[in-house]
Structures are given as C-alpha cells and as structure tokens.
Amino acid sequence: MIPNPVVRLRTSPTYMVAHSNAAVSIFLATSAQDRLSPPYYLRQFAKAAAGTRVQTQVVVLPSGGHNYNTRTRLYPAAFAFLSRHTNAPKQ
C-alpha cells in the first residue's frame, strides 16, 4: 500500500479516469462472488468515467470467484466488446 495519501489518491484508477482526457473504451468484468474484485469497485470506476471520454462496459456474472473458470465465462462478452471497439489491422 502507498503510505502517502495524496499519491495513493492520484494513482487510484478511479481518480485517474475521472480526470482523464483519453478517449478509450474499457471492459470491466467480475462476478458477484469475487471478493478480490467486487462489483462495487467496477461500478465506482464506471461512475467516475461517466461524463468523460472513457467508455465503459460493466459485466457482473451472478456466480463464480476470482478464477480461470469465471474468466472463461466472460470471453463471449469480452470478445463482443472488443469487436465493437477495435478496428481491424491496416494492411
């Protein structure tokens, strides 16, 4: 943990997105049972991004923990997101 509270605040992803000028799209995903990445954190980040040029999509699975099986269940939503927000490589 960063001991300096000002540095900790300014390096927080939620703080940075609220003060960003970047035009990016971010896919945020977790499960309702993930104690390491609780849905609250993702919703907090998306709320901070609202009104900025950062676009977010939040997906919360109803079950599963912080593990590979949960992540693989997110692949369809993640790939759909990427196909909408990524251009094909230029030749």
Side-chain angles (χ1 to χ4, degrees):
M1 185 157 114
I2 300 170
N4 183 314
V6 173
V7 172
R8 186 171 52 247
L9 170 68
R10 296 211 174 152
T11 59
S12 154
T14 302
Y15 177 90
M16 288 191 286
V17 74
H19 296 86
S20 175
N21 291 322
V24 296
S25 300
I26 302 174
F27 180 78
L28 305 164
T30 192
S31 75
Q33 299 173 332
D34 189 336
R35 61 183 175 76
L36 299 176
S37 298
Y40 169 78
Y41 290 160
L42 277 57
R43 290 187 189 107
Q44 183 182 41
F45 183 91
K47 184 178 178 181
T52 71
R53 296 174 62 204
V54 177
Q55 298 177 19
T56 61
Q57 179 180 340
V58 177
V59 175
V60 179
L61 296 176
S63 63
H66 195 87
N67 57 59
Y68 179 77
N69 290 331
T70 300
R71 299 293 171 239
T72 58
R73 290 175 31 222
L74 291 163
Y75 286 173
F79 290 133
F81 174 85
L82 287 170
S83 71
R84 289 190 308 273
H85 296 278
T86 306
N87 295 324
K90 294 180 180 167
Q91 299 287 334

